[in-house]
Amino acid sequence: MRKYFYFTLLVTLMVTTNYAQQFDLSAELRPRFENKHGYGSLLTTDADGANFISQRSRLNFNFSQDKIKIGMSLQNVRVWGDISTLGADDNATMLHEAWAEALLSDNFSLKFGRQEIVYDDSRIFGNVGWAQQARSHDAMIAKFKTSEKSNLDLGFALNADSQSGVDNLYSNIAGYKTFQYAYYHTAINKLGLSLLALNNGVEYLNSGDQKVDYSQTLGTHITYKEGKFGSDFSVYLQTGKISDNDVSSSNFSGNLSYKLSNEFSIGLGAEYLSGKDMDDTSSDIKSFNPLYGTNHKFNGWMDYFYVGNHGGSVGLVDVNGFVAYNKDKFSAKIMPHFFSSAADVYSGSTKMDSKLGTEIDFTIGYKVANNIAFSAGYSKMYGTDSMEVLKGGDKDENSSWSWIMFTFNPKLFSSK
């Protein structure tokens, strides 16, 4: 009887252990050809564009056991030819993610380490997945499941340049010295509601003293779906201080979509990001900053606005629409944008027209296999004189961007 008991206990432990562990190993290889001919800014007169191939290569490791989850993503980002064929060194490799999560109860966990932070439509927090290097943060997140359809996240980050015992001025290479945020999401029937409160601290020198000024981003994101109709709306306000300058800015957006058939859908959207008049000599910050969002997703795919540029400028009004087609493994989408400035543009003492230009984005995609995808796109910018004032370049030159990309996502190994 005792032998039977021990045998039963051993089998039970083995089964429990097997079901309590999960190990997954996957990869991603993403080569992308690009022709940049006025990407990010109007092409200068008689200038030539650039052609190159970049590649992201990732090895993703995920493990879970009882009360712990671990995620790691080893990443290499390169441009084909940036390292000698005999090169012995490669400085383009890093850990994109390296985090551990403690599952302290069914409704509460703590997640520590290098991790992607993505909320809602990625306007304020996103992983910038289009960029080959993408974005991740060194942070701690406390996750609460407040009900079946509601959750609350509390995030915290504190950055330094080294382990020095001296409190040196931080370089702000991450974009911030510290942040704290609260994010709440709930679903009410067909309505999705999110609330975000972010306190963002940036370190600077003030008369030789190290200081951290804090700005606050407060807002909401709302989604609603009913049959073939879909919509989303968001409002964000920014206040506080940056480098001893007062902050007062805002962002409003709304998008509507409708599914005409199983294959075709259409949409219409608009976004306002506040800016500062070019003749405003005050030190106040009136230009909205999307902070850590996936800005490539918004305001045109040619990245004229908010992708490493346009910060502290005249803001933006973006009226856009789309027509999309999806059938089986094929998809296509065309999306025009009509841009204008939110604040006044001046050339010398002359006030310019607020119209900045029109961009047309077109993309196609094809699912070659379950783990192979093909996509390509073409975009063209029709700039105005006001765009020349803001960006430089020549509005009469052909400013365009085209790209072709393959994405390979094989699952290498999985064990439970």
Side-chain angles (χ1 to χ4, degrees):
M1 193 70 181
R2 182 175 297 177
K3 290 182 180 180
Y4 175 76
F5 171 78
Y6 287 137
F7 175 76
T8 304
L9 179 61
L10 178 61
V11 170
T12 302
L13 288 172
M14 290 175 64
V15 171
T16 303
T17 301
N18 284 337
Y19 277 92
Q21 293 183 0
Q22 177 73 42
F23 173 71
D24 295 297
L25 185 65
S26 64
E28 180 192 50
L29 285 90
R30 196 174 76 170
R32 182 169 69 215
F33 164 81
E34 295 183 57
N35 170 261
K36 289 187 174 180
H37 199 270
Y39 174 94
S41 187
L42 297 173
L43 197 71
T44 55
T45 306
D46 297 329
D48 294 325
N51 298 286
F52 61 90
I53 299 173
S54 62
Q55 180 172 321
R56 176 166 81 194
S57 305
R58 280 184 182 171
L59 190 63
N60 305 306
F61 163 90
N62 287 280
F63 177 79
S64 63
Q65 182 184 50
D66 298 330
K67 297 294 185 178
I68 186 173
K69 289 184 178 180
I70 292 176
M72 291 191 181
S73 179
L74 181 65
Q75 172 177 283
N76 178 274
V77 175
R78 67 174 63 242
V79 173
W80 284 15
D82 66 352
I83 296 174
S84 166
T85 55
L86 293 172
D89 250 346
D90 186 353
N91 296 321
T93 300
M94 64 167 289
L95 276 172
H96 173 64
E97 290 193 283
W99 54 264
E101 184 173 5
L103 309 176
L104 302 179
S105 75
D106 291 340
N107 300 313
F108 176 59
S109 69
L110 290 173
K111 188 177 181 181
F112 299 87
R114 189 78 175 183
Q115 57 189 290
E116 293 184 347
I117 302 178
V118 182
Y119 292 121
D120 299 320
D121 60 351
S122 299
R123 197 50 173 132
I124 305 299
F125 277 109
N127 63 359
V128 197
W130 170 261
Q132 298 286 41
Q133 73 278 7
R135 170 182 279 139
S136 54
H137 301 260
D138 297 307
M140 183 277 288
I141 303 176
K143 299 182 175 186
F144 302 85
K145 187 175 181 180
T146 55
S147 71
E148 189 63 32
K149 295 184 178 181
S150 304
N151 60 276
L152 171 68
D153 286 4
L154 301 179
F156 170 79
L158 176 64
N159 295 322
D161 288 316
S162 70
Q163 301 182 57
S164 170
V166 180
D167 185 16
N168 294 316
L169 182 70
Y170 179 52
S171 64
N172 291 306
I173 192 170
Y176 54 92
K177 171 67 176 179
T178 180
F179 67 51
Q180 308 84 40
Y181 72 82
Y183 170 82
Y184 176 76
H185 177 78
T186 189
I188 307 169
N189 296 323
K190 298 171 183 178
L191 183 74
L193 172 65
S194 298
L195 300 172
L196 174 68
L198 168 64
N199 188 42
N200 196 71
V202 177
E203 193 169 21
Y204 71 104
L205 280 178
N206 185 0
S207 301
D209 294 329
Q210 292 174 215
K211 289 189 64 178
V212 178
D213 268 356
Y214 292 90
S215 62
Q216 293 77 44
T217 300
L218 309 170
T220 182
H221 180 79
I222 301 170
T223 60
Y224 180 80
K225 292 185 178 181
E226 174 70 46
K228 298 180 179 181
F229 173 78
S231 63
D232 66 83
F233 305 92
S234 64
V235 177
Y236 295 101
L237 304 176
Q238 288 179 335
T239 187
K241 283 183 175 290
I242 298 176
S243 298
D244 208 31
N245 299 313
D246 291 330
V247 177
S248 178
S249 59
S250 56
N251 171 225
F252 307 95
S253 71
N255 298 282
L256 304 173
S257 64
Y258 186 78
K259 197 171 181 64
L260 297 172
S261 66
N262 289 333
E263 292 83 23
F264 284 97
S265 58
I266 58 174
L268 182 66
E271 183 173 23
Y272 168 87
L273 299 103
S274 67
K276 187 174 182 178
D277 295 340
M278 291 179 69
D279 67 342
D280 187 341
T281 59
S282 72
S283 62
D284 293 347
I285 298 173
K286 302 176 182 178
S287 303
F288 187 82
N289 184 356
L291 294 170
Y292 315 115
T294 303
N295 295 331
H296 175 77
K297 179 182 175 182
F298 303 89
N299 312 133
W301 298 337
M302 289 184 72
D303 293 346
Y304 272 57
F305 309 101
Y306 302 105
V307 181
N309 59 51
H310 204 67
S313 189
V314 294
L316 187 69
V317 177
D318 174 10
V319 179
N320 56 77
F322 75 83
V323 178
Y325 175 83
N326 286 273
K327 186 175 182 180
D328 300 327
K329 299 179 180 181
F330 178 78
S331 64
K333 186 176 186 179
I334 187 167
M335 189 170 189
H337 292 262
F338 304 94
F339 298 121
S340 57
S341 62
D344 293 336
V345 178
Y346 282 86
S347 178
S349 59
T350 303
K351 184 178 178 180
M352 305 292 290
D353 194 305
S354 63
K355 294 179 181 177
L356 298 178
T358 300
E359 178 179 327
I360 299 176
D361 299 320
F362 175 70
T363 182
I364 60 172
Y366 184 76
K367 191 174 182 179
V368 180
N370 288 333
N371 50 18
I372 305 174
F374 166 82
S375 54
Y378 178 80
S379 299
K380 184 167 174 59
M381 171 66 76
Y382 300 90
T384 65
D385 291 332
S386 297
M387 184 76 86
E388 283 190 0
V389 171
L390 283 179
K391 297 285 184 181
D394 185 349
K395 67 180 179 61
D396 296 321
E397 286 289 328
N398 171 32
S399 292
S400 62
W401 173 55
S402 55
W403 56 274
I404 299 172
M405 182 168 71
F406 281 91
T407 303
F408 302 87
N409 287 113
K411 193 168 187 177
L412 305 177
F413 180 79
S414 182
S415 175
K416 180 179 285 189

